[in-house]
Amino acid sequence: MIAAFAVPTDRLKGAAWFGLVTLGIYIALGALESQRLVLGLAMGFLVIAVARAEQAGRVRVPAWLVFLGGASYSIYLVHNPVISVAARIFDDWRATFIVAALAGTAVGILYHLAFETPAMRLLGRRRQR
């Protein structure tokens, strides 16, 4: 949330350095699960820096990554059921992982195109009125 508020403003100009230093601290402390809040803080500041760099034209994001970003919530919604099905079909964890990753992404993209995109268009039309 801090990143969402900070990106369009001039606040937190040293976000990249602060993110890198915080990430270094996390690694120096052993990168333990119990310190995941330190990692989250570091990533938040790095998101601010990268988002500003993109806005300034210093970073170009390929269209397919922008599309995957748009579909990411749909992918998130379907990934657990897909993993469950893949785990029941395959005995080998490698096959389960590969199939779950590919199928989860594919099913999430289909869900995004079939439901999420039309719903957002409909909501956009209602807001314009």
Side-chain angles (χ1 to χ4, degrees):
M1 290 178 59
I2 293 169
F5 286 110
V7 168
T9 69
D10 283 339
R11 293 185 179 121
L12 301 171
K13 288 187 178 184
W17 286 112
F18 189 76
L20 290 172
V21 168
T22 308
L23 182 60
I25 291 169
Y26 173 74
I27 292 168
L29 291 173
L32 302 174
E33 171 67 22
S34 62
Q35 298 153 343
R36 67 180 175 265
L37 289 177
V38 177
L39 177 64
L41 183 64
M43 292 299 117
F45 283 103
L46 292 174
V47 164
I48 293 169
V50 172
R52 286 184 176 158
E54 181 190 11
Q55 287 177 339
R58 294 189 306 264
V59 174
R60 189 178 125 347
V61 180
W64 66 273
L65 283 179
V66 173
F67 175 76
L68 278 180
S72 64
Y73 184 66
S74 296
I75 295 168
Y76 165 75
L77 287 177
V78 304
H79 86 280
N80 263 347
V82 171
I83 290 171
S84 295
V85 171
R88 288 187 175 103
I89 294 173
F90 300 99
D91 290 332
D92 180 38
W93 71 268
R94 289 172 204 88
T96 301
F97 176 80
I98 291 168
V99 169
L102 295 175
T105 303
V107 171
I109 288 171
L110 290 173
Y111 181 85
H112 173 69
L113 293 173
F115 297 102
E116 193 175 43
T117 301
M120 295 304 286
R121 274 195 213 117
L122 180 64
L123 288 174
R125 284 190 210 131
R126 285 187 179 172
R127 285 185 185 158
Q128 288 176 352
R129 290 181 197 162

